[in-house]
C-alpha cells in the first residue's frame, strides 16, 4: 500500500506516512504500526530494482522497439534512459503501462559510441534486437543507433520543430514579432491589462511549443476591435502583423494535425499518405516559406517510409520518455548537487504500477523478502557515480 500510494499519488514519502496515519486513526489502527518514510523509500527502491532487473522478460517473445533519450544536466551528470515498447502501434499514444525501463545509465556526457553500448546492453536484456529505435535528431543519438545497426525513426515532434526552426528562426518579421509580444509581459504583468498578456514562451525547445502563443495571437487578432482604447494601444502590434499571424496559424494547424495523426494512428503507408495530403492542403498553396516547410516535411515523411521494415503501424513519437523524465525530475531531490541517486529506481516501479491490473498482479511481499539492501548498494556502485553532494561531504570531513 505504501509503495502504491507513493507511485500513484503525487506526494512525498513523508506524506505517505501521514496518509497511513489518517487511515489508522479513522479505522482504529487497522494498518498496525506505520512504517517510517525512510523504510517506504527503501521499499520503493527494492521494488524498482526487481522490476528493472526483469524488464526484458515480457518482451522476449515479441517484436519491440526502443526509445532512447538523454536528460538535461542533473548535477554534473546526464541520465541516458532506454525504454522498451511494443513495436506495433497500439491505436493510441503510448502510455506508462506500455513501457519497460530496459537501461539506466549515467555519465558526464554521452557520445555515439557510448550510446551504442547502452543500446546493445538494453537489447541483450531482452535477448534480441528491437525492430526499430525512436530518438530525437541529435547527432550522438543517430551515431549510437547506427552502431546497433537497427532502423531509426526520428521523433515526429522534434523533427517538425526542427523544420520550423530552420524556416523561421532568423526571419526578421518573426524575430520582431517575438520581441513585440514579449515587451508587454514586463511592462503590464502587475496591471489590470495583465489578463490579456500572451503565454510564456519556452527558452528550450521553443519551436516545439509555438502552438499556445500562435493560438493567442489569432484570438487577439479576431478580438482586437472589441478591446478598450488602452488595450488596443498596448497590443497595436497585433493587427500590424496580421499576415504573419495568419501564416503561422495555418502552419501550426498543419503541424499539429500531422503530429496528432502519427501519435494516434501510428506510422504507416496510409498515415504517411494522409499527412502528405495535409501538407499539400495547408502549405503548398501558401507563400515561399510555407512551401519550403512543406518540402522539408514531405522529404521527412518519405524517408520515414523507407525505414519501415514491417507492414505494421509503427510508433514514431518519444513523448512517453519525455514524460517519464518529467516524473523523475518532479520527484527527485531539488538539491542539484545530489545528481542521479538510487532513487532513479523509482521509474521502473512507477511504470509497472501505473495501471490497476498491473499493480494487483505485482507480488510486493515476495519482492521485499527477496531483495536486500546490499543489492541496492551493489547496483549503486556499478551503475552510478559519486555525485557532487558526496564529494562535498567527503572534502569537508577531511578539513574538520
Amino acid at each position: 500500500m505504501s509503495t502504491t500510494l507513493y507511485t500513484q499519488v503525487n506526494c512525498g514519502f513523508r506524506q505517505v506516512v501521514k496518509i497511513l496515519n489518517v487511515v489508522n486513526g479513522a479505522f482504529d489502527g487497522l494498518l498496525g504500526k506505520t512504517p517510517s518514510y525512510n523504510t517506504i523509500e527503501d521499499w520503493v527502491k527494492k521494488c524498482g530494482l526487481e522490476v528493472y532487473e526483469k524488464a526484458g522478460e515480457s518482451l522476449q517473445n515479441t517484436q519491440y522497439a526502443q526509445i532512447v533519450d538523454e536528460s538535461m544536466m542533473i548535477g554534473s551528470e546526464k541520465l541516458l534512459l532506454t525504454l522498451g515498447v511494443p513495436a506495433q502501434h497500439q491505436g493510441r499514444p503510448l502510455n506508462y503501462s506500455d513501457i519497460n525501463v530496459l537501461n539506466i545509465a549515467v555519465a558526464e556526457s554521452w557520445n555515439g559510441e557510448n550510446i551504442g553500448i547502452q543500446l546493445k546492453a538494453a537489447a541483450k536484456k531482452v535477448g534480441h534486437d528491437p525492430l526499430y529505435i525512436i530518438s530525437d535528431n541529435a547527432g550522438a543519438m543517430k551515431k549510437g543507433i547506427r552502431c546497433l545497426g537497427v532502423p531509426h525513426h526520428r521523433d515526429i515532434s522534434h523533427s517538425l520543430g526542427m523544420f520550423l526552426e530552420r524556416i523561421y528562426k532568423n526571419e526578421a518579421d518573426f524575430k520582431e514579432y517575438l520581441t513585440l509580444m514579449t515587451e508587454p509581459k514586463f511592462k503590464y504583468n502587475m496591471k489590470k491589462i495583465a489578463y490579456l498578456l500572451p503565454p510564456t514562451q519556452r527558452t528550450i525547445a521553443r519551436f516545439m511549443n509555438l502552438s499556445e502563443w500562435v493560438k493567442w495571437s489569432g484570438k487577439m487578432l479576431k478580438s482586437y476591435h472589441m478591446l478598450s482604447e488602452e488595450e488596443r494601444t498596448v497590443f497595436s502590434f497585433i493587427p500590424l502583423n496580421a499576415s504573419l499571424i495568419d501564416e503561422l496559424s495555418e502552419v501550426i494547424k498543419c503541424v499539429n494535425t500531422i503530429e496528432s495523426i502519427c501519435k494516434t494512428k501510428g506510422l504507416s503507408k496510409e498515415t504517411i499518405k494522409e499527412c502528405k495530403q495535409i501538407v499539400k492542403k495547408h502549405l503548398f498553396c501558401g507563400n515561399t516559406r510555407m512551401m519550403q516547410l512543406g518540402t522539408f516535411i514531405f522529404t521527412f515523411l518519405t524517408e520515414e517510409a523507407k525505414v519501415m521494415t514491417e507492414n505494421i503501424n509503427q510508433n514514431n513519437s518519444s513523448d512517453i520518455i519525455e514524460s517519464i523524465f518529467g516524473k523523475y525530475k518532479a520527484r527527485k531531490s531539488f538539491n542539484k548537487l545530489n545528481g542521479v541517486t538510487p532513487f532513479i529506481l523509482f521509474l521502473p516501479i512507477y511504470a509497472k504500477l501505473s495501471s490497476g491490473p498491473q499493480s494487483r498482479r505485482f507480488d510486493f511481499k515476495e519482492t521485499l523478502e527477496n531483495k536486500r539492501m546490499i543489492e541496492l548498494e551493489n547496483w549503486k556502485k556499478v551503475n552510478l557515480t559519486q555525485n557532487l553532494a558526496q564529494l562535498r561531504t567527503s572534502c569537508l570531513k577531511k578539513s574538520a
Side-chain angles (χ1 to χ4, degrees), residues 110-129:
W110 290 100
N111 58 34
E113 184 179 351
N114 291 334
I115 291 172
I117 291 171
Q118 299 304 323
L119 293 176
K120 289 176 182 177
K124 185 177 179 181
K125 209 170 194 178
V126 178
H128 60 93
D129 287 344

Side-chain angles (χ1 to χ4, degrees), residues 3-4 6-9 44 47-52 54-56 58-59 67 81-86 92 94-104 320-321 323-325 327-328 331 343-362 364:
T3 306
T4 306
Y6 181 77
T7 53
Q8 296 191 4
V9 178
V44 169
C47 291
L49 181 59
E50 174 77 2
V51 173
Y52 178 63
K54 297 181 177 180
S58 63
L59 301 172
I67 304 178
L81 205 60
T82 307
L83 307 182
V85 300
R92 54 168 171 73
L94 290 167
N95 59 39
Y96 294 121
S97 63
D98 295 318
I99 68 174
N100 290 270
V101 180
L102 295 178
N103 190 261
I104 297 170
I320 191 66
I321 200 168
S323 180
I324 204 166
F325 270 135
K327 289 291 181 184
Y328 172 67
R331 298 288 193 98
F343 177 70
I344 191 65
L345 292 169
F346 155 72
L347 293 184
I349 192 64
Y350 177 82
K352 184 72 173 179
L353 303 183
S354 61
S355 69
Q358 286 182 314
S359 178
R360 287 191 291 273
R361 287 194 298 266
F362 187 75
F364 292 93

Side-chain angles (χ1 to χ4, degrees), residues 35-36 44 73 85 99 213 248 271 359 383:
S36 70
V44 169
M73 293 299 293
V85 300
I99 68 174
W213 67 258
L248 290 173
T271 54
S359 178
N383 295 278

Side-chain angles (χ1 to χ4, degrees), residues 247-258:
E247 175 186 337
L248 290 173
S249 296
E250 194 70 13
V251 164
I252 293 302
K253 182 179 180 181
C254 175
V255 167
N256 287 347
T257 304
I258 291 173

Side-chain angles (χ1 to χ4, degrees), residues 33-94:
K33 185 179 178 180
T34 303
S36 70
Y37 72 89
N38 288 320
T39 298
I40 297 172
E41 183 176 2
D42 289 339
W43 289 350
V44 169
K45 292 175 185 175
K46 285 181 177 180
C47 291
L49 181 59
E50 174 77 2
V51 173
Y52 178 63
E53 290 177 342
K54 297 181 177 180
E57 293 180 0
S58 63
L59 301 172
Q60 288 176 353
N61 299 316
T62 63
Q63 287 185 325
Y64 77 103
Q66 289 181 2
I67 304 178
V68 61
D69 198 7
E70 62 176 335
S71 69
M72 302 296 289
M73 293 299 293
I74 301 175
S76 62
E77 304 164 325
K78 280 191 173 184
L79 170 65
L80 184 77
L81 205 60
T82 307
L83 307 182
V85 300
Q88 183 162 0
H89 194 270
Q90 304 295 294
R92 54 168 171 73
L94 290 167

